[in-house]
Amino acid sequence: MKKNVWLIAILGALTLVACQNKPKNQIMKIEKQSFGKLPDGQEVSLYTLKNQAGMELKISDYGGIIVSWTAPDKNGKYEDIVLGCDSLETYLKGVPYFGAIVGRYGNRIANGKFSLNGQEFTLAQNNGKNALHGGLKGFDKKIWSVTTVEGEEPALKLSTTSADGEEGYPGKLEVMVTYKLLKDNSLKIDYQASTDKPTVINLTNHSYFNLSGAADVLSHEVVLNAPKYLPVDETLIPTGELREVKGTPFDFMEKHTIGERINDTTDTQIKFGGGYDHCWVINEKADKKLLSVATVYEPTSGRVMEVLTTEPAMQFYTGNFLNGTIDGKKGVKYGKRSGFCIETQHYPDSPNKPAFPSTVLNPNEKYETTTIYKFSAK
Ligand code: GLA
């Protein structure tokens, strides 16, 4: 009898220990706080997403902006790795798309014009003579409707309706962008849209990364799995050529630091971009396969960022226009090349370049793309 009691006690204790060691599938709560008000009184919110590993993102319903995003260094220390501002007011003063959802058409459309099915459409020329990043009030300046999804891998679903004719684009567009924070320190971004008239669309996220917190990103080591890129004219519109990167400062097939060749103005393309501000071709077939397209490693922190996407191209922009005038987080004035962007997307000016993979979305079609930013350290 006594023996049995002991046996039960031991079994009980063992079960208890086993249960404690089993990783808990914790429901990760999403916090919502005020981020201020727009001049017209509309409330703006900030949502905090966390995973069990320790990654934390703060995302606003204004522009779907990723305001902060922490990632571990080689000692397991989580620090903010994106550029941004401490207050909504600073974002409202005007920032170059820090962390925002960009649409309807990310990147440039030549002369702010395109034709679709024989009809010409005119857009705002908000970048010299070209249209850039969706126009005067693009998706980066909209208040999005948010649904929170709590769980082991918390998510925010941001949706908006863009009216027919908004910023000159045809068709009423229903858009949904889902930010999902995965257990393995990845952020998965799913973009979905549908339209009631033929239109063009090219959505992306414009986060500026700095994996070290240093004043510039020149010592970050970059690999881009892209053997070709799109040379541009002086206004950064692709010429239409797909050029081999081999033998140029655009060759990142093997790792190179950002700084190594960025000032090589003997290359006209570096001159036009003021550094890197070009679109690399990832997948000429544009068959929507999820591919690992870029890896960035920062040696002092050991942080690694891998980018995976179903998009056929990526704009690699090295913050060449940043000039220390914006009040960044914690009083930092972001200087030239203090952040880099990998904006996954279709080719710029596709609506005017029939040979490029199409960016046309027709009624009864679904626009669906996915991009993943995955962090680790070594
Ligand atoms: C992009 C463009 C750049 C610049 C930034 C925002 O990525 O390619 O030329 O306009 O956005 O400043």
Side-chain angles (χ1 to χ4, degrees):
M1 189 59 180
K2 236 182 183 178
K3 226 174 164 185
N4 281 350
V5 172
W6 273 111
L7 204 66
I8 289 166
I10 289 168
L11 279 176
L14 283 176
T15 322
L16 206 70
V17 170
C19 285
Q20 276 169 351
N21 286 347
K22 205 175 134 210
K24 291 164 267 166
N25 291 341
Q26 224 177 297
I27 303 289
M28 302 307 291
K29 295 271 176 227
I30 296 174
E31 282 164 34
K32 179 182 176 184
Q33 68 193 84
S34 170
F35 197 41
K37 280 183 187 172
L38 295 187
D40 68 3
Q42 271 194 86
E43 293 283 347
V44 176
S45 302
L46 194 62
Y47 296 82
T48 306
L49 275 69
K50 291 178 192 162
N51 70 4
Q52 281 183 65
M55 181 169 276
E56 185 189 279
L57 281 108
K58 289 190 187 289
I59 301 172
S60 178
D61 50 4
Y62 177 74
I65 293 175
I66 299 175
V67 172
S68 69
W69 186 346
T70 69
D73 69 3
K74 59 188 169 200
N75 301 314
K77 191 171 174 208
Y78 282 76
E79 283 171 313
D80 196 358
I81 45 87
V82 289
L83 273 47
C85 310
D86 284 327
S87 74
L88 176 66
E89 273 172 356
T90 321
Y91 283 101
L92 296 178
K93 277 191 215 156
V95 294
Y97 307 92
F98 286 162
I101 298 171
V102 173
R104 288 190 190 191
Y105 198 96
N107 218 317
R108 294 172 176 79
I109 295 181
N111 304 310
K113 276 192 178 15
F114 67 95
S115 292
L116 186 56
N117 303 329
Q119 201 182 334
E120 186 170 78
F121 296 94
T122 304
L123 313 167
Q125 294 169 299
N126 61 333
N127 186 246
K129 59 182 181 155
N130 301 322
L132 177 71
H133 291 336
L136 300 174
K137 191 182 173 197
F139 291 178
D140 59 299
K141 296 180 185 68
K142 266 180 178 270
I143 301 266
W144 294 67
S145 305
V146 174
T147 311
T148 57
V149 187
E150 294 181 337
E152 223 187 325
E153 300 191 318
L156 284 191
K157 288 183 179 296
L158 292 89
S159 52
T160 192
T161 303
S162 173
D164 184 10
E166 191 176 291
E167 289 293 335
Y169 291 94
K172 179 178 158 201
L173 195 72
E174 303 286 351
V175 190
M176 180 140 91
V177 177
T178 306
Y179 288 117
K180 187 172 189 180
L181 176 55
L182 308 186
K183 289 184 282 188
D184 68 354
N185 282 347
S186 299
L187 181 72
K188 181 168 178 268
I189 314 179
D190 288 315
Y191 302 86
Q192 290 172 314
S194 57
T195 180
D196 66 353
K197 282 184 192 165
T199 191
V200 294
I201 181 168
N202 193 26
L203 304 179
T204 191
N205 178 276
H206 210 303
S207 287
Y208 289 67
F209 299 95
N210 181 326
L211 305 184
S212 69
D216 63 56
V217 290
L218 298 178
S219 59
H220 286 51
E221 297 174 4
V222 175
V223 175
L224 302 177
N225 301 324
K228 292 179 190 168
Y229 79 108
L230 304 174
V232 291
D233 67 13
E234 303 88 316
T235 73
L236 301 186
I237 293 292
T239 58
E241 181 196 351
L242 272 67
R243 186 175 292 173
E244 299 278 343
V245 293
K246 217 179 156 94
T248 78
F250 292 82
D251 189 354
F252 284 95
M253 294 290 286
E254 304 283 342
K255 79 168 179 221
H256 286 277
T257 63
I258 292 180
E260 204 179 311
R261 301 159 299 174
I262 199 168
N263 294 318
D264 179 6
T265 43
T266 58
D267 186 295
T268 324
Q269 287 300 315
I270 288 280
K271 209 154 108 192
F272 285 168
Y276 298 111
D277 192 357
H278 295 76
C279 201
W280 269 253
V281 176
I282 302 161
N283 181 353
E284 271 183 69
K285 282 189 283 182
D287 60 4
K288 299 187 181 173
K289 250 196 214 137
L290 184 73
L291 300 173
S292 172
V293 296
T295 308
V296 182
Y297 169 65
E298 197 288 306
T300 52
S301 65
R303 290 196 178 89
V304 182
M305 181 177 89
E306 183 189 359
V307 184
L308 299 99
T309 189
T310 60
E311 289 279 30
M314 58 187 152
Q315 183 83 4
F316 177 50
Y317 168 59
T318 45
N320 312 312
F321 294 118
L322 296 172
N323 59 7
T325 52
I326 295 164
D327 292 316
K329 285 181 269 192
K330 294 184 182 155
V332 176
K333 302 264 189 195
Y334 297 126
K336 189 171 177 175
R337 298 175 181 155
S338 56
F340 70 91
C341 308
I342 295 185
E343 307 155 51
T344 54
Q345 56 188 246
H346 265 253
Y347 307 179
D349 200 31
S350 296
N352 293 309
K353 301 264 188 318
F356 284 177
S358 173
T359 50
V360 173
L361 182 70
N362 290 305
N364 306 320
E365 286 175 353
K366 265 198 181 146
Y367 174 88
E368 276 177 318
T369 74
T370 296
T371 294
I372 297 171
Y373 294 96
K374 183 175 180 185
F375 290 88
S376 56
K378 63 181 185 190

